[in-house]
Amino acid sequence: MSTPIVEMKNIEKHFGSVIALAGVSFSVMPGEVHCLLGDNGAGKSTFIKTMSGVHKPSTGEIFVDGKKQAFDSPRDAMNAGIATVHQDLAMIPLMSITRNFWLGHEPTKNFGPLKYYDLKKANAVTMEEMAKMGIRLREPDQAVGTLSGGERQTVAIARAVYFGAKVLILDEPTSALGVRQTSNVLATMDKVRKKGVGVVFISHNVRHAMAVGDRFTVLNRGKTLGTAKKGEITAEELQDLMAGGQELASLEASLGGTV
Amino acid sequence: MSTPIVEMKNIEKHFGSVIALAGVSFSVMPGEVHCLLGDNGAGKSTFIKTMSGVHKPSTGEIFVDGKKQAFDSPRDAMNAGIATVHQDLAMIPLMSITRNFWLGHEPTKNFGPLKYYDLKKANAVTMEEMAKMGIRLREPDQAVGTLSGGERQTVAIARAVYFGAKVLILDEPTSALGVRQTSNVLATMDKVRKKGVGVVFISHNVRHAMAVGDRFTVLNRGKTLGTAKKGEITAEELQDLMAGGQELASLEASLGGTV
Amino acid sequence: MSDLAVESTDERVKNVSLISRLMKRPELGALAGLALVTIFFAFTADPKMFSLAGFLNFMTPASQLGILAIGAALLMIGGEFDLSVGSMVAFTGLIFGAAMVTFELPLYAAIIVTFMVAAAMGAVNGQIVIRTGLPSFIVTLAFLFILRGLSLVGLKAATGGSTQLRGVREKVEGSWIADFFSGEAFTPLFYWLAENGLVDTFKSGKPKVDGIPVEIIWFTLLAGVATWILLRSRFGSWIFASGGDSSAASNSGVPVRRVKMYLFMFTACCAALVAILTVMDAGSTDARRGFQKEFEAIIAAVIGGSLLTGGYGSAIGAFFGSIIFGMVLIGLSYTNIDQDWYLVFLGSMLLLAVLFNNMIRKRVTGER
Amino acid sequence: MSDLAVESTDERVKNVSLISRLMKRPELGALAGLALVTIFFAFTADPKMFSLAGFLNFMTPASQLGILAIGAALLMIGGEFDLSVGSMVAFTGLIFGAAMVTFELPLYAAIIVTFMVAAAMGAVNGQIVIRTGLPSFIVTLAFLFILRGLSLVGLKAATGGSTQLRGVREKVEGSWIADFFSGEAFTPLFYWLAENGLVDTFKSGKPKVDGIPVEIIWFTLLAGVATWILLRSRFGSWIFASGGDSSAASNSGVPVRRVKMYLFMFTACCAALVAILTVMDAGSTDARRGFQKEFEAIIAAVIGGSLLTGGYGSAIGAFFGSIIFGMVLIGLSYTNIDQDWYLVFLGSMLLLAVLFNNMIRKRVTGER
Amino acid sequence: TDIIVVSHGQANDPFWSVVKNGVDKAAKDSGVNVSYRAPETFDMVAMSQLIDAAIVQEPDGIVVSIPDGDALGPSITKAVEAGIPVISMNSGSNVAAKLGALLHVGQGEFDAGKAAGAKLAKMGGDTGICVNHEVGNVALDQRCEGFAAGFGGNVTVVPTGNDPAEVEAKIKAALESNEDIDTIMALGASLVGEPAVAAVEAVGLSGSVNIATFDLSPGFLKAVSEGKAAFAVDQQQFLQGYLPVIFLALNAEYGLIPGGNVPSGPNLITAEKASQVVELSAKGIR
Ligand SMILES: Nc1ncnc2c1ncn2[C@@H]1O[C@H](COP(=O)(O)OP(=O)(O)OP(=O)(O)O)[C@@H](O)[C@H]1O
Ligand SMILES: Nc1ncnc2c1ncn2[C@@H]1O[C@H](COP(=O)(O)OP(=O)(O)OP(=O)(O)O)[C@@H](O)[C@H]1O
Ligand SMILES: O[C@@H]1[C@@H](O)[C@H](O)OC[C@H]1O
Ligand SMILES: [Mg+2]
Ligand SMILES: [Mg+2]
């Protein structure tokens, strides 16, 4: 349990003149939920994109199971057991729910030139996994582009959970979800963690983070503000850090606490 | 105060074989925040899209200031004073922040054939409005496609608030926002309401809804479950309705209450 | 995409007829256009157009075009274009002709060499597009010019100065492989039918149709295989995904670059197949072979419902699209319409076919 | 898009040179390609290519192409295509020629009629695309055929059987409006320069260049106006938005249909302008005018950095793209390269120009 | 009586529109039903398919041009085997008889080029360019080869597209970069001949460069009559459309057929004849 599944050291990422990450280090242990928090534009998505092979870091190193590695494509990261729900969901709008769910992992039957896509199985599994998350689909053939925002997000999560072997990265997975779906996703994270999978959870909701997180890392303007273990930090402190230390607009009492 | 700014009666909307709305009625009064709540796929976005001229209802009527009206395009709805933040934000990724902010409302200088787009003013206003929402932009020229999720959502909200004349529709406006930005948006809604603008607010967060809402309408599977005034309903009851009456997954104590 | 079963208990779904569910498929839309064109010719053309001989007659060019169109459709679905297809027909025609006539290779070797050259050129196109991120339009356009030019230079070198290379037919004679790539299939059957008076004959007693031209068989087979790949194989899903949103596909783990590479190679090989078929049939090749075929192939694919923006389309659509195009192209010969009006006629028929197909589809599926 | 001021205090921004900020603009990328091509010819071509006469010589076809390319670029940025542009040149050429010769209208009236017909045809294209939602590729393709065919039929009707209509020059003579659409501008200036030995002359004392061909002036003006519209007017923003994401643009209140309509009309009017310029220059028109120009116009726009998928590009880019294309097209004639290699050369130069431009842009902006 | 004409040239090609006018006139004069068909571009494969389509209709005669005997051979033989009389025109004089055509009406491309070249050499030329606007069209290649053979001097082929502005600019470029050029052989009158005249004028070489072209156009003929151009090679293609149709009509009715090929050209149009021909050319007869 002492070597992290994935460890990132001193990651920097520049886009032309923009410095999105200015040296961030981070690790995920097996069986933990590590929350990555921070203000809008802090660099959270950019960071996990370097972790899942979408971006190449400008400088910095990545270790998987203690071995240094470079991801040339998202497929490399996937082969290393990392599954990701990106903030933009990475779905093909014109394709069906099933085909999106299984994209890159299509189940096949037979072999050689006769090998074909087992759509029957694929449809059945998709319907079932979606139902587990609290979404009853009309039909697995519907184009993803015509789904509601939350339905679409649920497809992305269900897919990542289904295929996430060692690490599951969730970038604001519950942002568009209803209460029921949200509680299902949080419960799922808990279940997955118990199987020994490492989870990276990005959220702006302190309550969600506190509910499932084992460790908390806060980013601010491309740099780490530090990492805390569960119990070492209160919701209010965390919220302060996430807001970059700036004051919140005053509002009615009911919102005074954690947003 | 007794005629609603916008009133929708018995709206139905079908997409091919899909029945997305099966008869929904709804109204917005001047100076109120009317929350539209409901499970994923309940039909909230579809409903507000008929309200903002994106979809034509299959059946049903729309009244603006008591007069029956049909919107042929979003531009018609805008001209009637309705500004909308869509769930998918309706931004052009390759265009700059400023140009997106002002799209359809470009400020011009001079007149006749010499009339030109006053970019200087446009840039200044954009930077300022974004700052009000808690986002400090690097430069107003950055392409919207390269913004972070929350930065992009903030542009959409700032734009709608700036141009929202009579009705402001916000479809899950805070889903991608940080704590500070969220509290700014909620405060902004409060400020706007006080100027007599009617606000339609869609959210999955009961706490946010309770904090700013004057009335609450819950949709379920394309139908209205009913409308309640502030004070007539508790957070827990509302949450139950939003989940469609189904049970929530059990989770650690800290999440037991409102998600 | 194929499973039509519905949870019939869901109150959020209306009952819709099978036909409107089928009409949602891109290829079936093209059928409406085909029907319109057929009806038009049924009224205006010499009835011989729809005799067996007439049918095979317009199916031959339709098939040659269709083989290219299927390649183009797959590539378009995958989000790219290939404008060098027409020049590729000329270039691979030169390779094949030169292999047979100048280098006197045996037929099987010439065919292998031709396909290998085509695949290599397709790979070059693909690599440039993938590595540089330039639009495939401009890259393959450059190859449109380059390959056309190389065909000219190569022909002059192979023939010692002419732009026409002849004598392929003589070299081919007697090879059994040749029967797969030229002439007609099932010829004995048709002679037997003629002797027994079951098919029409010329005054000379020769059957009017003495077999099914091999290109029609290739075309049909290819349409079947491509459809199977698109709808039933995992590679098919990857094609749709690569064209639908290449960065989302790549983020989902689809090897987008590899998919596009294969598609460019496949398209080039379709061109090579057409080159071999037509050079063997004609017995010669020249520097203008395949001129503007890239364009016609894309037209046929688009008539068949493929989107230029990628991610949507079908091989069967391209199949019907090619038949529509071939029918309009040859059909005029069977009518009394003056040749001066030919282009007006061609354009109007294309427009009517797609408008009609579009109208029917919207009407049937209730979309607006 | 133009304000380069940065909040210099933000620690999240690196300092970047002005040049790399400029290189981000699509049009300036094309400059790198132009430089490459110029350098190539500076080494390989006869120096006369870069004399004033030589320069104007390749600028004339480049300008005629460029006027079309600017229309094509605007339409492409707006998310649509027009494949009927080349045929539109022939068709409006016929209208203009027939108005002058057959109907003997005065020049100004003929010009007005020509532009009105063009705008009307553009509106038809636009309306069909907008109303049916069919891809503009297939709709304007139909008009590519239809207009080409109508030009033939019309010419034969106007001349009594020929495909060439002559006698425009005779009708035009003496009209002051003609000076705007034909011949050279600033002629007296050049004579004065020649007398004072400032420009080359023929033995006769006549200056080798006796003015700047009017198309070059039109082309430059149009590039300027189009650039102003794109970058400085609200309509320009709407063009980018309509092409970038038409449903998002429409949801933001942009009148997308109207924008696209105007663009189709503008493109058709560009074709009419080229028709008027070329018919007045040649004094005649024929059924093959403008053949494949739609294609070349799109090529020039793409070389200039416009995206086929819409929402990105520039008029100045199309300006440079046309010059690159014109230079490569004509330049070979000034070199010793074997003319059989013409197409190979054309394709390779195009490819090199865009590759180079792409490479430079990436290097300078640090993008990958 | 039904007769079908299949050629390789498009109806909007200025040259072929004259052929078609000949066909139409013959149809009217002899009262037969004729249709004229051609592929959209120079395309031997498509053309053979059009011949096949003609055979299916079993007409009383087929007229074809044969730019590539190998490619069109099987279709023509099939027509002959099916008992349909075939006459060839324009191109194919060397293969017509072998394929079973009754006779050929046309001009030998190589010979016509050679005649023009010899005449231009006699006019004093020794450095020439042959401007080819349709590279890869074998008939045009043969003309340049013939021109080179007859001319004897130094000949380069200049390939161009078919846009007049481009052609003019290229000829200017060629003239400027090689001042020895004294002869221009154009392969089409309106597409190349007219821009060539304009180019020569623009670089100030009027009078010192001889320009000749294949085929006619009113504009070029005018230049010939004004002395700006040397001559045009006329193959009187109206006859290539007219005669075969008349022959086949008579053949169908009375079984008549001439005993040999009909050479319709070449016929050099110089300044003396040009002004007479201009009017007919403007009507699409020459
Ligand atoms: N391709 C790019 N080009 C230029 N700037 C970029 C690019 N991608 C991201 N950025 C910038 O980098 C910063 C970090 O973005 P990122 O998406 O990682 O933020 P985030 O922490 O995920 O924010 P959010 O909570 O809003 O999703 C932002 O300011 C963004 O504008
Ligand atoms: N164009 C369409 N074609 C077919 N079905 C559609 C279309 N648009 C929406 N739907 C369906 O209609 C239902 C309502 O969708 P809508 O987007 O309005 O939900 P929502 O209440 O906004 O949900 P969320 O909270 O997840 O955003 C969904 O089940 C969706 O799948
Ligand atoms: O005879 C020629 C013909 O074969 C070719 O198509 O070009 C025009 C004619 O001059
Ligand atoms: Mg993010
Ligand atoms: Mg929604």
Side-chain angles (χ1 to χ4, degrees), chain E residues 26-201:
Chain E
K28 217 186 281 161
D29 290 355
S30 60
V32 296
N33 184 11
V34 186
S35 51
Y36 177 99
R37 304 299 174 212
E40 248 193 293
T41 65
F42 181 90
D43 184 341
M44 287 305 103
V45 175
M47 191 179 162
S48 72
Q49 288 155 354
L50 286 175
I51 300 175
D52 292 343
I55 298 170
V56 172
Q57 296 171 70
E58 297 181 80
D60 301 292
I62 293 180
V63 182
V64 288
S65 63
I66 320 178
D68 180 347
D70 280 30
L72 303 179
S75 295
I76 295 174
T77 321
K78 194 166 147 200
V80 172
E81 280 174 9
I84 304 169
V86 175
I87 292 182
S88 66
M89 53 94 160
N90 185 269
S91 1
S93 50
N94 48 341
V95 289
K98 203 180 77 196
L99 294 175
L102 300 175
L103 63 103
H104 180 83
V105 180
Q107 102 184 328
E109 300 291 6
F110 184 87
D111 296 336
K114 198 167 166 187
K119 168 106 186 180
L120 286 164
K122 217 189 289 160
M123 294 172 74
D126 64 12
T127 307
I129 54 174
C130 184
V131 184
N132 186 344
H133 59 284
E134 222 172 77
V135 181
N137 179 339
V138 185
L140 301 196
D141 292 344
Q142 287 170 355
R143 289 176 183 176
C144 281
E145 281 160 23
F147 167 67
F151 191 64
N154 189 353
V155 172
T156 8
V157 176
V158 174
T160 71
N162 43 26
D163 174 55
E166 179 198 333
V167 174
E168 183 180 334
K170 281 203 158 170
I171 295 174
K172 274 193 211 163
L175 290 173
E176 292 206 320
S177 49
N178 182 359
E179 285 169 355
D180 296 336
I181 294 172
D182 52 26
T183 304
I184 300 175
M185 181 79 245
L187 301 187
S190 62
L191 287 178
V192 182
E194 294 182 36
V197 172
V200 167
E201 236 172 4

Side-chain angles (χ1 to χ4, degrees), chain A residues 138 142 145-152 176-178, chain B residues 15-16 18-21 38-47 49 55 87 171-172 202 204 219, chain C residues 12:
Chain A
R138 293 188 181 80
Q142 191 175 351
T146 65
L147 287 179
S148 84
E151 289 169 344
R152 207 173 317 157
L177 297 189
Chain B
F15 298 102
V18 171
I19 304 172
L21 297 173
D39 204 359
N40 288 132
K44 304 178 295 297
S45 298
T46 307
F47 183 73
K49 277 185 185 158
H55 291 323
Q87 195 169 8
D171 192 353
E172 307 194 19
I202 299 182
H204 289 296
L219 285 191
Chain C
R12 298 169 304 172

Side-chain angles (χ1 to χ4, degrees), chain A residues 18 39-41 138 148 150-151 175-178 180-181 183 186-187 204 207-208 211 243 246 249 251-252 254-255 258-259, chain B residues 18 39-41 138 148 150-151 175-178 180-181 183 186-187 204 207-208 211 243 246 249 251 254-255 258-259:
Chain A
V18 171
D39 203 0
N40 287 131
R138 293 188 181 80
S148 84
E151 289 169 344
S175 60
L177 297 189
R180 200 155 43 84
Q181 290 76 8
S183 82
L186 296 177
H204 289 296
R207 300 165 51 78
H208 295 178
Q246 290 171 50
L251 209 71
E252 325 219 341
S254 58
L255 266 173
T258 49
V259 181
Chain B
V18 171
D39 204 359
N40 288 132
R138 291 189 184 79
S148 84
E151 288 168 343
S175 60
L177 297 190
R180 200 155 42 84
Q181 290 77 7
S183 81
L186 296 177
H204 289 296
R207 299 164 55 78
H208 295 178
Q246 291 171 51
L251 209 70
S254 57
L255 266 174
T258 49
V259 179

